[in-house]
Amino acid sequence: MDFVVEEGKRVNEECSTLILPALSIGNVGQLAVDLLVSSTDAERIGYLDDPNLLPCVGNDAYGPLPCGEIALPFEVYESSSISTTLAQQRSPVAKGMMINFVENIANFAASNGKKHVIVLSSLDFQRLHNLDMSRGPQVYYLSNTGSDGRDDHCEKLGFGRLNEYDSEGRCWKYLSSVFEKNSEDDLTFPSEDELEDIDYYPSLPFAALFSAFKAKGLKVTCLLCYCSEGDNIPEAFLLAEAASKLTGLSPDKFHGEEGGKWRIPYSWKSMYGAPPDMSMF
């Protein structure tokens, strides 16, 4: 993976926190990063060129006017006002290349002085067995602060620990052995036909990212929410707000249209196409 800094831009060494999505159902992590980039007025400083990502290209996602910039598969933004780096992944990983891709990201974070990595992702709502409607939408977390995934700061913020995390589970142990490279056990990841319900969580990209950053000695926190396919804008706000709370950011200081708070990315205006022609009714 090559980190290409755009001409005339430079890396801010004070940005020690990295926020990035892990692709999953509903693209909630990507939407949340879009919201954070737009609202913090973050500047694109470069991009990550990785052979394990499928190629893609698109229009600028944030500017209302055509400025000649194109969106690339994996972009890096920085907001000096909040000392945070945001990475946006716009295309999926080639089949069978997830481990290589994740290892490259972990190397990038470690070599660029990141101390805390926050991964935003989503989980299939059908996997949620204990639904508490009285609490409203719930943010779940997984942290390497404790061996059981627990983090006191996340608990104080009201996030729920991902109880399905089991460091001794076969798939979690496999991921640890791959990235830590010090296991004497000959572990393998089960095939699709062999996967059980308990293997769902470690089979997702966020689990590989968690294990890779952990192996690099970085603090890593995964913020997760359950969702279904469809309009997941509310879930994007949920994760973006959770990331803001975790990092101590106040949305009141963001660059929203109404004197602070959230600025809706311009690309969201066409997320679901043009409205219907009302004359047909």
Side-chain angles (χ1 to χ4, degrees):
M1 175 182 285
D2 295 323
F3 178 31
V4 182
V5 180
E6 294 186 357
E7 185 177 354
K9 306 289 180 66
R10 66 179 184 87
V11 177
N12 188 343
E13 295 181 356
E14 296 182 359
C15 293
S16 60
T17 299
L18 171 64
I19 301 177
L20 77 162
L23 273 60
S24 188
I25 184 171
N27 300 322
V28 177
Q30 293 163 292
L31 293 173
V33 171
D34 262 351
L35 191 58
L36 288 166
V37 169
S38 179
S39 300
T40 61
D41 207 20
E43 178 186 28
R44 189 173 78 176
I45 63 166
Y47 60 90
L48 294 166
D49 185 17
D50 192 282
N52 303 297
L53 272 183
L54 297 179
C56 78
V57 66
N59 291 325
D60 174 34
Y62 308 108
L65 299 175
C67 57
E69 290 190 0
I70 57 175
L72 299 170
F74 207 170
E75 300 175 320
V76 179
Y77 295 81
E78 280 188 351
S79 178
S80 56
S81 61
I82 60 174
S83 298
T84 300
T85 300
L86 299 127
Q88 179 61 294
Q89 181 184 342
R90 302 191 182 279
S91 67
V93 178
K95 186 175 181 179
M97 304 307 295
M98 179 60 69
I99 296 297
N100 292 345
F101 171 70
V102 166
E103 196 162 30
N104 289 342
I105 298 178
N107 289 334
F108 159 76
S111 62
N112 282 272
K114 307 307 176 188
K115 294 180 174 59
H116 187 194
V117 182
I118 300 173
V119 180
L120 308 180
S121 193
S122 49
L123 307 169
D124 189 347
F125 191 80
Q126 296 184 31
R127 301 282 178 168
L128 180 59
H129 300 297
N130 300 314
L131 179 62
D132 185 0
M133 296 297 292
S134 64
R135 299 185 62 182
Q138 176 70 26
V139 173
Y140 296 85
Y141 79 89
L142 177 62
S143 170
N144 66 336
T145 301
S147 60
D148 61 349
R150 187 179 300 276
D151 181 273
D152 290 340
H153 183 46
C154 289
E155 293 288 332
K156 291 178 182 178
L157 292 174
F159 304 155
R161 183 174 68 89
L162 185 68
N163 292 321
E164 289 78 6
Y165 173 67
D166 178 11
S167 60
E168 294 301 314
R170 59 175 182 170
C171 292
W172 290 107
K173 287 184 68 175
Y174 167 78
L175 291 174
S176 295
S177 69
V178 167
F179 296 114
E180 292 176 5
K181 297 179 171 45
N182 59 1
S183 174
E184 297 180 356
D185 299 327
D186 186 16
L187 302 174
T188 59
F189 200 87
S191 65
E192 291 185 11
D193 295 335
E194 298 173 329
L195 287 175
E196 301 175 1
D197 286 346
I198 198 171
D199 299 323
Y200 166 71
Y201 297 91
S203 71
L204 298 177
F206 88 86
L209 286 166
F210 173 81
S211 300
F213 291 129
K214 178 182 176 183
K216 286 292 182 182
L218 304 177
K219 180 180 180 182
V220 54
T221 308
C222 298
L223 298 179
L224 312 161
C225 70
Y226 286 90
C227 74
S228 302
E229 293 289 1
D231 183 356
N232 289 304
I233 290 178
E235 286 77 10
F237 274 96
L238 181 68
L239 282 190
E241 289 172 354
S244 298
K245 288 180 181 178
L246 184 61
T247 54
L249 305 179
S250 172
D252 292 330
K253 298 181 180 180
F254 289 168
H255 300 272
E257 289 86 349
E258 301 177 0
K261 298 193 176 180
W262 302 103
R263 176 192 289 171
I264 304 301
Y266 194 77
S267 58
W268 287 18
K269 295 181 182 295
S270 58
M271 187 182 301
Y272 296 103
D277 182 0
M278 299 307 295
S279 64
M280 72 175 67
F281 304 105

